[in-house]
């Protein structure tokens, strides 16, 4: 997965999620899908595809699909079969809440859903039923819209194919593809709306399941006494040992990812021309805020490195100073002027060479014609002095 680009990695995880939703898959495939989605999250964090100060209109159509990564990860995590089901439900709820809060920040959650979620206290059965009916209607509307877009694409494909078969294509003629950027954007926005409805339903179901499992566990502790307590302690010890064994593998996901501050290198990573793990060197290093004793020196331990990164700004720092940007702009302008001067020189020299040399007889004829034209112009100026035609425009002319 380290060698794969972000689009191919997301497509692989999406296919696994689709297979797990439509039909049952084995646990190995589910865990593979979760690992691919975690890699997607890491790459999205490094590339900085989303910002907290933008909305859905500011996100490009190509990056809209990556908003579904937490939702896919939550659904696949819920399908993992483990002994401690409570921990699985908690992990899935965390990803669902992350997805819903991010969609709310992007202004993708409907106002009705926000008002229902903001109501404090237990709701009555009538309110819960009305909320489920409204959510079910939104879900059906999103599914109908996706089906309509799919049928429209199929009809357009059949029409294009029939036109290509009936109309002969000449050599050198290229097919003109329809601009379906708006349709693709509409498709992903509708898919995200459908995922929001399903996320709210799944979150409520997981909360109820966690409450039931916690109640059963508490009842077993009260009835079993010391024997069950000892079994739980042994199980907790085994899980702690397993956690420590797998800590090295999970360290890359727990540590904050180093952001990529170069837009060109980030685009190369997205399109698969470079890897996110490669270090991209910059001449201008951004300022690091924090204790002077840690920032000025060389942090030797992980604790010192984390302490030096505590006081950091909430925005991306520039990777180039104003002076460097000005020098680069001056260099671009100089290259542009040199290229233009070279082109003008070539154009003038070729124009001079292409002009045929006039013959001696023709040169004399041209001189006589020019002299006659000059004499005629002098005679006309004598008959029509300067400003003679404007006298009629003056009041006393």
């Amino acid at each position: 997965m380290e060698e794969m680009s972000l689009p191919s990695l997301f497509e692989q995880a999406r296919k696994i999620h689709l297979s797990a939703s439509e039909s049952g898959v084995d646990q190995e495939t589910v865990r593979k899908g979760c690992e691919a989605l975690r890699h997607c999250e890491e790459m999205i964090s490094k590339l900085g595809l989303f910002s907290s100060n933008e909305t859905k209109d500011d996100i490009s159509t190509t990056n809209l699909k990556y908003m579904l990564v937490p939702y896919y990860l939550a659904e696949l995590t819920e399908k993992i079969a483990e002994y401690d089901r409570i921990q699985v439900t908690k992990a899935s709820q965390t990803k669902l809440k992350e997805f819903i809060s991010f969609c709310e920040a992007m202004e993708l959650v409907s106002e009705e859903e926000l008002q229902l979620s903001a109501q404090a206290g237990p709701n009555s059965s009538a309110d819960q039923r009305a909320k489920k009916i409204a959510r079910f209607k939104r879900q059906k509307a999103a599914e109908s819209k996706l089906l309509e877009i799919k049928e429209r694409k199929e009809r357009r494909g059949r029409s294009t194919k029939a036109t290509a078969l009936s109309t002969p294509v000449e050599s050198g003629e290229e097919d003109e593809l329809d601009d379906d950027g708006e349709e693709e954007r509409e498709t992903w926005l509708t898919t995200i709306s459908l995922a929001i409805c399903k996320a709210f339903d799944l979150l409520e179901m997981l909360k109820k399941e966690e409450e039931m499992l916690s109640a059963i566990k508490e009842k077993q502790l009260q009835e079993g006494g010391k024997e069950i307590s000892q079994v739980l302690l042994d199980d907790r010890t085994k899980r702690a040992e397993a956690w420590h064994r797998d800590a090295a593998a999970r360290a890359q996901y727990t540590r904050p990812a180093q952001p990529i501050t170069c837009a060109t290198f980030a685009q190369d990573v997205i399109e698969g021309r470079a890897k996110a793990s490669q270090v991209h060197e910059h001449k201008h290093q951004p300022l690091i805020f924090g204790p002077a004793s840690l920032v000025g020196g060389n942090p030797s331990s992980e604790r010192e490195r984390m302490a030096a990164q505590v006081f950091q700004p909430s925005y991306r720092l520039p990777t180039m100073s104003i002076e460097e940007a000005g020098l680069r702009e001056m260099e671009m302008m100089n290259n542009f002027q040199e290229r233009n001067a070279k082109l003008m020189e070539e154009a003038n020299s070729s124009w001079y060479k292409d002009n045929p040399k006039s013959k001696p007889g023709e040169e004399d004829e041209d001189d006589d014609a020019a002299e006659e034209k000059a004499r005629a112009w002098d005679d006309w100026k004598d008959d029509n002095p300067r400003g003679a035609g404007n006298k009629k425009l003056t009041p006393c002319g």
Side-chain angles (χ1 to χ4, degrees):
M1 292 184 182
E2 294 290 341
E3 305 294 331
M4 298 175 65
S5 62
L6 181 58
S8 57
L9 198 62
F10 175 78
E11 189 64 24
Q12 179 185 5
R14 192 177 69 86
K15 289 180 180 178
I16 295 175
H17 172 265
L18 187 62
S19 302
S21 302
E22 294 179 351
S23 60
V25 293
D26 56 343
Q27 290 294 310
E28 185 65 26
T29 307
V30 172
R31 295 180 186 276
K32 184 179 179 181
C34 292
E35 184 180 357
L37 289 169
R38 291 192 189 99
H39 276 285
C40 286
E41 281 190 330
E42 182 185 1
M43 294 182 72
I44 289 170
S45 175
K46 282 186 176 182
L47 295 172
L49 296 184
F50 305 115
S51 176
S52 58
N53 60 347
E54 61 185 13
T55 60
K56 60 182 179 181
D57 298 330
D58 302 322
I59 301 175
S60 63
T61 305
T62 310
N63 298 337
L64 273 177
K65 56 187 176 182
Y66 301 126
M67 294 177 62
L68 294 166
V69 170
Y71 170 71
Y72 289 163
L73 184 57
E75 282 205 332
L76 287 181
T77 304
E78 189 267 336
K79 297 181 184 299
I80 295 177
E82 286 189 0
Y83 176 74
D84 194 354
R85 178 64 184 173
I86 297 179
Q87 296 298 327
V88 174
T89 56
K90 287 183 178 180
S92 182
Q93 287 181 60
T94 302
K95 286 299 173 183
L96 287 173
K97 291 176 182 178
E98 178 183 343
F99 170 69
I100 292 173
S101 61
F102 183 65
C103 291
E104 182 179 350
M106 294 293 114
E107 299 179 359
L108 287 168
V109 185
S110 61
E111 293 294 335
E112 185 180 0
E113 191 69 56
L114 290 175
Q115 292 175 2
L116 293 173
S117 302
Q119 293 178 359
N123 298 328
S124 62
S125 57
D127 294 339
Q128 291 181 359
R129 184 173 181 274
K131 181 170 65 174
K132 287 184 177 295
I133 290 174
R135 190 178 297 159
F136 179 76
K137 288 181 179 179
R138 288 195 298 272
Q139 182 175 343
K140 284 299 179 183
E143 291 176 353
S144 301
K145 193 172 183 180
L146 287 175
L147 184 61
E148 179 186 352
I149 294 173
K150 183 180 178 182
E151 292 176 352
R152 193 163 63 224
K153 284 183 178 179
E154 291 177 354
R155 287 197 302 268
R156 188 168 64 245
R158 289 194 298 267
S159 176
T160 306
K161 187 176 180 181
T163 306
L165 292 175
S166 60
T167 306
V169 180
E170 298 179 359
S171 59
E173 185 177 343
E174 297 181 355
D175 298 335
E176 294 183 1
L177 300 177
D178 294 331
D179 186 12
D180 56 349
E182 293 295 331
E183 191 174 55
E184 183 184 359
R185 187 174 187 85
E186 185 182 8
T187 302
W188 284 117
L189 288 176
T190 310
T191 306
I192 293 172
S193 300
L194 179 60
I196 290 171
C197 297
K198 292 183 178 180
F200 275 109
D201 289 336
L202 182 59
L203 185 61
E204 292 178 0
M205 186 189 72
L206 291 176
K207 284 181 180 178
K208 292 180 181 178
E209 184 180 0
E210 184 183 357
E211 291 175 0
M212 293 172 61
L213 291 174
S214 300
I216 293 173
K217 191 173 183 179
E218 185 177 356
K219 186 176 181 181
Q220 288 177 350
L221 286 174
Q222 293 176 357
E223 293 178 353
K226 295 182 179 180
E227 295 180 359
I228 295 181
S229 299
Q230 187 62 35
V231 171
L232 291 174
L233 288 174
D234 294 341
D235 181 59
R236 186 178 299 174
T237 303
K238 291 180 181 178
R239 282 191 284 110
E241 292 175 355
W243 186 90
H244 284 291
R245 283 196 302 268
D246 300 338
R250 294 195 304 268
Q252 54 180 339
Y253 305 120
T254 57
R255 292 180 182 178
Q258 293 292 332
I260 298 174
T261 55
C262 180
T264 307
F265 181 64
Q267 190 66 26
D268 292 341
V269 173
I270 292 176
E271 297 177 359
R273 293 190 295 270
K275 302 177 186 177
S277 58
Q278 294 176 350
V279 179
H280 190 69
E281 297 181 357
H282 296 283
K283 295 182 179 179
H284 175 72
Q285 296 294 336
L287 297 176
I288 299 179
F289 300 90
S293 59
L294 297 176
V295 174
N298 187 15
S300 57
S301 63
E302 184 70 15
R303 182 182 181 86
E304 292 182 356
R305 187 186 65 80
M306 293 178 67
Q309 294 179 350
V310 170
F311 300 101
Q312 300 298 318
S314 59
Y315 52 88
R316 292 292 179 86
L317 294 174
T319 59
M320 185 185 300
S321 64
I322 299 177
E323 291 79 6
E324 290 176 349
L327 291 174
R328 181 170 296 185
E329 221 171 300
M330 286 288 293
E331 184 180 357
M332 291 171 59
M333 183 57 64
N334 291 333
N335 295 335
F336 179 73
Q337 290 179 352
E338 290 177 2
R339 186 168 63 252
N340 282 353
K342 187 177 180 181
L343 291 175
M344 289 296 295
E345 183 180 355
E346 291 178 357
N348 293 333
S349 61
S350 61
W351 173 82
Y352 175 75
K353 291 177 182 177
D354 290 343
N355 274 342
K357 293 183 178 179
S358 58
K359 297 179 180 179
E362 294 178 355
E363 187 177 355
D364 295 340
E365 293 177 359
D366 293 341
D367 292 343
D368 295 340
E371 187 177 355
E372 291 178 1
K373 186 176 180 180
R375 288 176 180 177
W377 177 244
D378 291 339
D379 296 340
W380 186 88
K381 285 196 297 183
D382 293 340
D383 298 337
N384 301 279
R386 184 178 182 85
N390 297 330
K391 289 182 178 180
K392 295 181 180 180
L393 301 178
T394 58
C396 302

